[in-house]
């Protein structure tokens, strides 16, 4: 932004980008000004003000006499706004944002300047896409490293409680979810219990309580054997209580529940919850599904061991009554 400001001998240069948390609005992402009166919290909505006009029409705008045009610049307070005489704005492709340049001198921008500003916006957009690709690569590497660590834990830890607790902690660190937990089907097959969690989710005294499959979001996943995701882009969705209406849990705005399927039955549910909206993209969904598969395999081994331990007793009883 400082380079753009220098090239056009401008007073301020500002970049607005789409706000992922508020659809249809744009938030200031970068700025440079010769003064200190920029309103960095000002939002741009399509059609409101000069930058809003650029966003709504997806076209460049050049105004060299704001006194006559009475155009309003969104990112100044009223006192500073009255001193600005010229404005130039250019949209990023696909309505991703807008670059704004202004001056305290009338008739200081030309059509040639507008074409140069268009080249700058192309460069800004190229940089943004490079950063997005870089972030995605970093994220993929983080997921891969977490899967490697979980695989190593399986070899290092023979006790299920130790393996589970460290796996849940790894998932919390990797995904950013505050609460990561595992619910498992009990021996009766008609209820589920909370087997492990990174932070307390249930009220004191309820930690060992059993819940039936009609209770809460977790029970719904057990019953229907279907994954559930809701994050930032679905933040308006009213989340069902995790364990039923009667069980008070910390506030949750993002949640993931994945069934751990063993012999076509959901033996457990891997859950993640967070008090704020979280972006749950395709990469995270794929990663969590792989973790769920790993946990399901571990549960299957435990189930088979239990069956083997029970087999001699069943044979002895059968011989007793034969």
């Amino acid at each position: 932004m400082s380079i753009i400001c220098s090239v056009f001998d401008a007073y301020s240069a500002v970049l607005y980008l789409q706000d992922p948390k508020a659809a249809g609005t744009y938030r200031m992402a970068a700025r440079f000004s010769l003064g200190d009166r920029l309103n960095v919290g000002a939002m741009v909505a399509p059609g409101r003000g000069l930058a809003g006009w650029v966003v709504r029409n997806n076209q460049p705008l050049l105004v060299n006499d704001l006194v006559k045009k009475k155009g309003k610049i969104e990112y100044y307070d009223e006192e500073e706004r009255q001193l600005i005489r010229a404005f130039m704005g250019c949209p990023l492709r696909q309505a991703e944002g807008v670059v704004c340049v202004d001056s305290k001198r009338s008739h200081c921008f030309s059509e040639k300047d507008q074409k140069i500003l268009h080249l700058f916006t192309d460069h800004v957009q190229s940089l943004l896409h490079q950063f997005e690709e870089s972030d995605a690569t970093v994220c993929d590497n983080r997921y891969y490293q977490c899967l490697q660590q979980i695989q190593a834990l399986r070899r290092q830890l023979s006790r299920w409680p130790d393996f589970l607790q460290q796996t849940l902690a790894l998932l919390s660190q990797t995904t950013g979810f505050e609460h990561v937990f595992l619910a498992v089907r009990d021996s009766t097959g008609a209820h589920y219990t909370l087997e492990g969690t990174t932070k307390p989710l249930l009220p004191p005294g309820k930690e060992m309580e059993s819940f039936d499959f009609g209770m809460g979001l977790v029970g719904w996943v057990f019953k229907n054997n279907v994954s559930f995701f809701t994050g930032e882009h679905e933040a308006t969705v009213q989340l069902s209580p995790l364990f039923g209406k009667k069980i008070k849990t910390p506030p949750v705005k993002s949640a993931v529940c994945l069934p751990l399927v063993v012999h076509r039955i959901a033996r457990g549910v891997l859950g993640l919850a967070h008090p704020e909206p979280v972006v749950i993209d395709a990469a995270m969904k794929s990663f969590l599904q792989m973790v769920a598969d790993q946990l399901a395999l571990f549960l299957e081994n435990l189930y088979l061991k239990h069956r083997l331990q029970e087999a001699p007793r069943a044979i002895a009883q059968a011989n007793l009554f034969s």
Side-chain angles (χ1 to χ4, degrees):
M1 291 300 106
S2 64
I3 293 173
I4 292 175
C5 205
S6 177
V7 167
F8 296 110
D9 194 19
Y11 183 65
S12 297
V14 172
L15 169 66
Y16 277 95
L17 295 176
Q18 284 182 337
D19 185 355
K21 296 184 179 179
T25 59
Y26 294 74
R27 183 181 298 276
M28 190 181 294
R31 63 192 183 276
F32 180 83
S33 180
L34 298 179
D36 57 1
R37 306 291 288 274
L38 286 177
N39 181 5
V40 297
M43 305 287 284
V44 169
R48 295 181 59 183
L50 297 178
W53 186 96
V54 175
V55 168
R56 183 186 64 186
N57 295 279
N58 198 27
Q59 293 180 5
L61 177 65
L62 175 60
V63 181
N64 260 324
D65 194 342
L66 286 174
V67 176
K68 289 185 178 180
K69 296 290 183 180
K70 297 181 180 181
K72 182 179 179 180
I73 299 178
E74 301 87 334
Y75 47 85
Y76 287 123
D77 58 28
E78 190 60 37
E79 183 179 348
E80 188 77 352
R81 190 179 295 136
Q82 293 177 1
L83 302 176
I84 304 300
R85 295 291 180 264
F87 172 88
M88 186 166 57
C90 188
L92 275 66
R93 292 191 301 273
Q94 300 174 351
E96 292 183 16
V98 56
V99 175
C100 304
V101 181
D102 62 59
S103 175
K104 290 187 175 182
R105 296 177 291 113
S106 298
H107 303 282
C108 64
F109 300 135
S110 65
E111 291 185 4
K112 181 180 178 181
D113 291 331
Q114 198 168 46
K115 292 178 181 178
I116 295 173
L117 182 61
H118 182 77
L119 296 176
F120 270 115
T121 59
D122 284 347
H123 180 61
V124 168
Q125 188 147 34
S126 176
L127 289 173
L128 287 171
H129 289 171
Q130 287 179 33
F131 283 126
E132 288 172 359
E133 291 174 359
S134 176
D135 288 345
T137 300
V138 170
C139 190
D140 288 344
N141 287 338
R142 190 167 68 247
Y143 291 155
Y144 177 69
Q145 289 173 4
C146 183
L147 288 171
Q148 283 187 313
Q149 288 176 291
I150 292 174
Q151 186 66 24
L153 287 176
R154 286 189 61 193
R155 294 192 296 267
Q156 296 166 7
L157 303 174
S158 58
R159 295 185 67 253
W160 163 252
D162 297 336
F163 169 78
L164 176 61
Q165 203 58 40
Q166 292 199 36
T167 297
L168 297 181
L170 272 173
L171 284 178
S172 180
Q173 295 168 13
T174 303
T175 62
F177 277 85
E178 189 170 306
H179 302 281
V180 183
F181 60 91
L182 179 69
V184 296
R185 185 184 292 260
D186 66 10
S187 57
T188 67
H191 303 83
Y192 69 91
T193 58
L194 195 61
E195 181 135 335
T197 181
T198 52
K199 284 190 174 183
L201 269 172
L202 299 175
K206 298 283 186 180
E207 294 88 353
M208 304 303 294
E209 187 168 326
S210 295
F211 308 97
D212 65 49
F213 294 152
M215 295 180 65
L217 176 61
V218 176
W220 182 88
V221 173
F222 265 112
K223 188 175 180 179
N224 294 277
N225 205 0
V226 175
S227 300
F228 177 89
F229 300 90
T230 185
E232 184 174 278
H233 300 301
E234 304 86 13
T236 56
V237 174
Q238 184 64 41
L239 270 173
S240 299
L242 291 173
F243 307 104
K245 294 180 180 179
K246 295 182 180 180
I247 305 300
K248 188 176 181 181
T249 59
V252 171
K253 291 186 179 178
S254 294
V256 175
C257 288
L258 298 168
L260 308 186
V261 180
V262 178
H263 302 157
R264 299 183 180 180
I265 297 175
R267 300 285 177 185
V269 169
L270 174 63
L272 297 91
H274 197 70
E276 297 298 330
V278 175
V279 176
I280 305 172
D281 56 17
M284 181 183 287
K285 289 180 181 180
S286 177
F287 160 70
L288 291 175
Q289 188 59 62
M290 285 188 274
V291 174
D293 291 343
Q294 290 270 3
L295 289 174
L297 182 60
F298 211 125
L299 279 180
E300 184 173 16
N301 290 337
L302 290 175
Y303 175 73
L304 291 174
K305 286 180 181 179
H306 176 73
R307 291 291 298 271
L308 289 172
Q309 290 171 355
E310 291 293 323
R313 299 177 190 173
I315 293 171
Q317 287 183 349
N319 290 335
L320 182 65
F321 293 102
S322 61

